[in-house]
């Protein structure tokens, strides 16, 4: 039998550069409270959010993606023709086809493989897992991973379940070869039995077949999502730490999806992280930006001088699906 003579890639991969792009407008709680009959105090107490970033009407999710990608490529110090794949994680690109990734790649001057993934708030970590595998398998030298959302396009201002949480932004990283381990094994999965807990209010077929159907927006069963995220994700995070061959004491930063400050605080307790670990809480000023939230929170920690290159970070994304993914990474 003739066998294939396949060349493998490098043993390890790492994050080479990180870039972000936030919506142009800071939207304070006061601007959103009237339609939901609420108050600034209630939103802060329930979520920790003071403001959220939202993009101009004419700024698209692809515009946000392009800006973050250019930033990441510049930080990585590589040429665009060295990128062999582009992965865009988003649930807010308004076209079923073609995907957004090939268009972003074209804007950047990249003709490599490009595709979208839909894993909501876990999408960035899903992209990291795929990029890590591509590099180590020799499928790609460098992979551009983008998490981008324009959530404000899918908000019902009168919806008390989720509307006041959401923001618009993009975060991107370049993943490339490393002489030492830079990305730990990804622990990921899903629980489709809870898929309706975070959902689109109606399908596009409903809109087609019934002209009285309102434009679909986002909705969540808040208490159930809070319980799932607060208590079910901590064991996943601990599994990712173990899979990376480190201990909680080795972790410098905990960077979870920015869903809710109360969820983040509960996860810290459940995981048992030491007080020396810095915790990403970009949600306070940027809101919940879904697939973009982890890179945004990472960038904020850099900007505030709380992390530096070489630090170990535990990151975990979780959201609609119900899907989740966690990994320990070396910060670039």
């Amino acid at each position: 039998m003739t066998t294939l003579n396949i060349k493998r890639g490098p043993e390890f991969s790492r994050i080479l550069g990180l870039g972000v792009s936030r919506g142009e407008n800071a939207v304070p709680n006061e601007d959103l409270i009237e339609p939901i009959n609420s108050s600034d105090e209630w939103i802060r107490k329930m979520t920790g959010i003071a403001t959220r970033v939202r993009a101009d009407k004419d700024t698209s999710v692809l515009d946000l993606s392009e800006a973050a990608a250019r930033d990441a490529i510049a930080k990585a110090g590589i040429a665009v023709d060295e990128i062999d794949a582009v992965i865009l994680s988003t649930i807010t690109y308004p076209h079923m086809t073609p995907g957004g990734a090939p268009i972003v790649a074209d804007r950047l001057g990249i003709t490599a493989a490009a595709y979208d993934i839909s894993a909501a708030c876990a999408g960035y970590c899903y992209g990291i897992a795929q990029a890590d595998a591509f590099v180590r398998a020799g499928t790609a030298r460098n992979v551009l991973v983008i998490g981008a959302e324009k959530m404000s396009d899918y908000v019902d201002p009168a919806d008390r379940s989720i509307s006041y949480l959401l923001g618009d932004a993009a975060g991107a990283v370049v993943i490339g070869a490393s002489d030492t381990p830079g990305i730990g094994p990804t622990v990921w999965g899903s629980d489709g039995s809870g898929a309706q807990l975070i959902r689109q209010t109606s399908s596009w077929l409903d809109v087609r077949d019934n002209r009285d159907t309102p434009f679909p927006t986002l909705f969540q069963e808040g208490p159930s999502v809070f319980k799932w995220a607060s208590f079910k994700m901590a064991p996943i995070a601990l599994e990712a730490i173990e899979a990376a061959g480190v201990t909680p004491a080795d972790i410098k930063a905990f960077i979870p999806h920015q869903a809710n400050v109360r969820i983040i605080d509960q996860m810290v307790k459940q995981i048992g992280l030491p007080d020396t670990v810095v915790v990403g809480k970009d949600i306070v000023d940027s809101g919940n930006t879904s697939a973009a939230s982890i890179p945004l929170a990472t960038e904020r920690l850099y900007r505030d001088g709380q992390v530096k290159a070489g630090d170990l970070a535990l990151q975990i994304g979780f959201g609609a699906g119900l899907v989740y993914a966690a990994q320990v990474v070396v910060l670039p």
Side-chain angles (χ1 to χ4, degrees):
M1 181 179 67
T2 302
T3 60
L4 299 176
N5 183 16
I6 299 176
K7 182 180 179 181
R8 292 188 57 82
E11 186 176 3
F12 307 116
S13 76
R14 66 184 178 94
I15 300 173
L16 304 178
L18 166 75
V20 301
S21 173
R22 290 175 167 84
E24 299 93 339
N25 308 297
V27 181
N29 293 335
E30 287 84 352
D31 288 3
L32 305 178
I33 58 178
E34 184 175 350
I36 61 173
N37 190 27
S38 188
S39 66
D40 171 62
E41 180 183 12
W42 183 84
I43 293 176
R44 288 176 186 260
K45 178 181 178 181
M46 298 302 293
T47 71
I49 298 173
T51 63
R52 72 282 299 136
V53 289
R54 289 189 174 172
D56 291 339
K57 182 178 180 180
D58 294 335
T59 299
S60 71
V61 69
L62 299 188
D63 295 331
L64 295 167
S65 298
E66 179 186 355
R70 290 189 182 280
D71 190 14
I73 293 168
K75 298 284 180 52
I78 65 171
V80 293
D81 61 6
E82 295 179 85
I83 294 174
D84 296 325
V86 178
I87 303 171
L88 171 60
S89 176
T90 182
I91 59 169
T92 52
Y93 181 54
H95 298 274
M96 289 189 295
T97 192
I103 299 172
V104 174
D106 180 66
R107 291 186 181 187
L108 298 170
I110 298 170
T111 57
Y115 64 96
D116 295 5
I117 58 175
S118 177
C121 306
Y124 172 76
C125 291
Y126 268 54
I128 294 290
Q130 294 180 34
D132 170 54
F134 288 168
V135 171
R136 291 189 294 109
T139 304
R141 294 169 298 173
N142 300 287
V143 181
L144 174 64
V145 177
I146 308 166
E149 306 288 5
K150 191 178 180 188
M151 306 298 283
S152 61
D153 282 343
Y154 299 91
V155 163
D156 173 2
D159 171 40
R160 283 179 62 92
S161 77
I162 200 170
S163 63
Y164 53 90
L165 294 171
L166 304 175
D168 307 332
V173 289
V174 175
I175 307 295
S178 176
D179 294 331
T180 56
I183 298 175
T186 297
V187 178
W188 53 353
S190 66
D191 179 7
S193 67
Q196 291 302 305
L197 295 181
I198 308 171
R199 63 184 185 270
Q200 186 174 301
T201 50
S202 57
S203 79
W204 297 111
L205 295 180
D206 294 333
V207 176
R208 182 196 67 184
D209 296 338
N210 184 348
R211 293 186 178 182
D212 293 330
T213 300
F215 181 82
T217 56
L218 295 170
F219 176 83
Q220 72 170 347
E221 302 284 352
S224 296
V225 172
F226 180 88
K227 182 178 179 180
W228 172 75
S230 297
F231 298 99
K232 296 293 187 180
M233 291 301 98
I236 303 302
L238 285 168
E239 191 175 342
I241 292 173
E242 182 179 2
V246 297
T247 69
D250 297 315
I251 301 298
K252 172 63 178 179
F254 176 47
I255 312 174
H257 163 53
Q258 304 291 289
N260 181 309
V261 168
R262 292 195 302 143
I263 290 175
I264 294 172
D265 289 343
Q266 187 62 243
M267 289 178 67
V268 170
K269 293 179 183 178
Q270 294 292 319
I271 297 169
L273 293 172
D275 293 339
T276 54
V277 175
V278 296
V279 180
K281 291 186 178 180
D282 183 64
I283 186 174
V284 174
D285 297 319
S286 298
N288 178 341
T289 55
S290 187
S293 76
I294 291 175
L296 258 65
T298 305
E299 186 272 342
R300 178 66 62 107
L301 292 179
Y302 276 117
R303 188 158 25 113
D304 292 345
Q306 294 184 281
V307 297
K308 64 182 185 304
D311 286 342
L312 285 185
L314 167 64
Q315 55 188 32
I316 180 170
F318 47 87
L322 297 169
V323 300
Y324 55 85
Q327 64 253 137
V328 175
V329 302
V330 178
L331 294 177

